[in-house]
Amino acid sequence: DTAVSQTPKYLVTQMGNDKSIKCEQNLGHDTMYWYKQDSKKFLKIMFSYNNKELIINETVPNRFSPKSPDKAHLNLHINSLELGDSAVYFCASSKASGRTQETQYFGPGTRLLVL
Amino acid sequence: KQEVTQIPAALSVPEGENLVLNCSFTDSAIYNLQWFRQDPGKGLTSLLLIQSSQREQTSGRLNASLDKSSGRSTLYIAASQPGDSATYLCAVNRGNTPLVFGKGTRLSVIA
C-alpha cells in the first residue's frame, strides 16, 4: 500500500535531453509538492499544488514545469537538462486543512544523474 | 525568510546512550514543526509532528519538544540502537505551506 509513489526511481540521461518524473498519491490529499535534494543533502521546495492549481513556485528555472492532471498526480517535466539538475527529487503530499497541517508524506525519491 | 539550523551536523554515540538533537528556526511564527528520518539512498519518514499549540510529542523512544518563543526544538532519543543510525531532519512551516528544512544531523549509533 504505497502512499506516495514516484517513477522512475533512478534516471540517468544526457545533457540537453527532456525527461519527466511522475508522482501519485493514494491518500486523498489535496496538496502536493516537489522538493529537490542537492548533493549536499539540502532539501528545498520547488513547487506546491493545491487541488490541481499551482500555489507556490519558488525560484526554479522555467525548464522545470509541473503538471497536475488531477489532484492525485503531480508530474515534473524538465526540458534541456543540465549537469546542475543532478539531484534527488522528492514528491510529497498533505491534507489541506487551513491553518493546521497534517503530516507531509514523502515519496521514495527519484535520483536523477545528468551526464 | 525562514531559516532552519540543526546542530550538530554529525553525531556518533555508543549503543544504549540517550541523545538530543537540536533544531532552531529564525521565524517563530510557525504553525508546525516536523521531524523526519532519512536512511541513506531512501526517502523521508515522518517521525513526529508538533503543532504550534503543542509543547511536545512522543512516539516510543522518541520525544520532540517545541519552544516557539525561543525558536527551538529538540529531538530526544532514549536508549539508542544501531537501527537508529540515519540522518534526522527538522522542518517547519506555516499552515499548508511547503516545509523549510534544516540540513540534518547524521547520527551513527555504534554497537
Side-chain angles (χ1 to χ4, degrees):
Chain A
D1 268 11
T2 306
V4 182
S5 60
Q6 294 179 229
T7 54
K9 191 171 181 181
Y10 298 97
L11 185 53
V12 181
T13 188
Q14 298 285 335
M15 222 168 33
N17 283 350
D18 302 338
K19 291 292 179 185
S20 292
I21 307 172
K22 295 186 177 181
C23 177
E24 176 181 3
Q25 54 95 3
N26 62 5
L27 298 166
H29 287 165
D30 297 304
T31 306
M32 296 184 72
Y33 313 84
W34 277 108
Y35 291 86
K36 178 180 179 180
Q37 189 172 41
D38 60 26
S39 57
K40 296 180 181 176
K41 308 297 183 188
F42 194 33
L43 260 167
K44 284 190 71 173
I45 184 66
M46 299 175 69
F47 301 101
S48 171
Y49 265 71
N50 183 265
N51 277 321
K52 302 195 302 174
E53 290 189 20
L54 179 66
I55 54 174
I56 298 252
N57 179 356
E58 294 294 310
T59 309
V60 175
N62 58 14
R63 298 181 295 102
F64 290 78
S65 52
K67 287 187 171 46
S68 182
D70 55 62
K71 73 174 194 177
H73 295 84
L74 181 62
N75 303 324
L76 183 65
H77 188 76
I78 315 170
N79 288 326
S80 303
L81 279 156
E82 300 177 358
L83 295 176
D85 297 333
S86 297
V88 183
Y89 293 84
F90 287 100
C91 177
S93 72
S94 66
K95 190 190 295 186
S97 52
R99 180 181 167 143
T100 302
Q101 182 177 328
E102 303 289 329
T103 301
Q104 283 195 22
Y105 292 86
F106 280 73
T110 295
R111 284 143 191 84
L112 171 64
L113 177 60
V114 182
L115 302 174
Chain B
K1 183 182 173 183
Q2 180 72 270
E3 290 184 7
V4 179
T5 303
Q6 290 186 246
I7 295 173
L11 181 63
S12 184
V13 299
E15 183 177 5
E17 196 161 294
N18 302 327
L19 58 101
V20 174
L21 307 181
N22 297 292
C23 171
S24 61
F25 44 93
T26 53
D27 183 355
S28 62
I30 67 165
Y31 292 172
N32 306 287
L33 184 140
Q34 203 164 343
W35 281 95
F36 292 88
R37 168 185 173 138
Q38 185 174 26
D39 293 283
K42 307 278 187 183
L44 279 71
T45 302
S46 179
L47 297 172
L48 291 163
L49 170 72
I50 310 178
Q51 295 177 4
S52 61
S53 58
Q54 300 171 324
R55 301 279 299 183
E56 65 178 335
Q57 284 285 340
T58 298
S59 175
R61 294 182 293 107
L62 305 179
N63 175 276
S65 67
L66 173 63
D67 183 343
K68 259 187 64 172
S69 59
S70 66
R72 294 176 191 275
S73 174
T74 60
L75 179 66
Y76 175 82
I77 303 177
S80 58
Q81 303 170 357
D84 295 331
S85 298
T87 296
Y88 290 80
L89 295 159
C90 166
V92 299
N93 71 343
R94 297 172 57 120
N96 197 31
T97 60
L99 292 163
V100 178
F101 282 86
K103 292 187 177 180
T105 294
R106 193 170 62 255
L107 173 66
S108 297
V109 180
I110 313 299

